[in-house]
Amino acid sequence: RYGIRTTFTCAALSLERSPNLAKEIIIAGPEVCAHGLRWIHQHRMNETEEQAFIDETIKSITSICGIRPVGWLSRYLTTDNTRRLLAESGFVYHMDDYSDDRPFWDTQGDVPILILPYALDTNDIKLWTAPSYTPSDWLQYAKDSFDWLYAESAEQIRMMSVGVHLRIMGRPGRIGALEKFLKYVSSHQGVWPARRVDIARHWIDRAVPGG
């Protein structure tokens, strides 16, 4: 409706078990970002276990979607090996970071990987966690965040992450807040609502690793 392409973060087995939904996602044109093989904690794994977890995720998503994932989001926490293993496995970007509002490079391993920070404060999970937002609270907070970043973007690069879940924002009493936010964003000039893979490619084409 608003011409906005999105990134779906998907646990691989959820796509395998819902092939019709997976097909609809691919037809609609969103990016599928790897959210692990299944929705489990990754930070408890040793290096061998984590590498196998990553490998099986790539294999599964590639098989069901016809294209391999290039982005990764863990379930909350990571290990000291995660970014290195992802980079060595061919991933372009990693989302597990909340420290900035712009992309940056992690060059600690032999292979650099682009970090596209995520955000929890503008995520609809705030509608669930105590103290929780009402839909109106979430909308106002999202708009305030957008306004501030939009103003800062006149002088420096800024990106805003808005994470939504079918089981949370997808409820009848909440979905209207998302639509109002999309209308608000669409009313501003010079805003690029983009898939994360497109942001990554744009950054890589114009930036130097480590810069």
Side-chain angles (χ1 to χ4, degrees), residues 8 22 24 51 54 57 69 72 85 118 124 134 174 189 196:
F8 276 58
E24 291 298 320
Q51 183 66 71
I54 292 170
T57 301
W72 185 279
L85 293 177
Y118 198 35
D124 68 355
T134 66
R174 300 178 181 133
Q189 297 293 321
R196 300 187 87 86

Side-chain angles (χ1 to χ4, degrees), residues 155-170:
E155 297 182 357
Q156 53 194 315
I157 294 170
R158 285 290 178 258
M159 60 176 282
M160 178 178 178
S161 292
V162 179
V164 295
H165 301 76
L166 300 179
R167 66 186 183 278
I168 305 177
M169 189 62 78

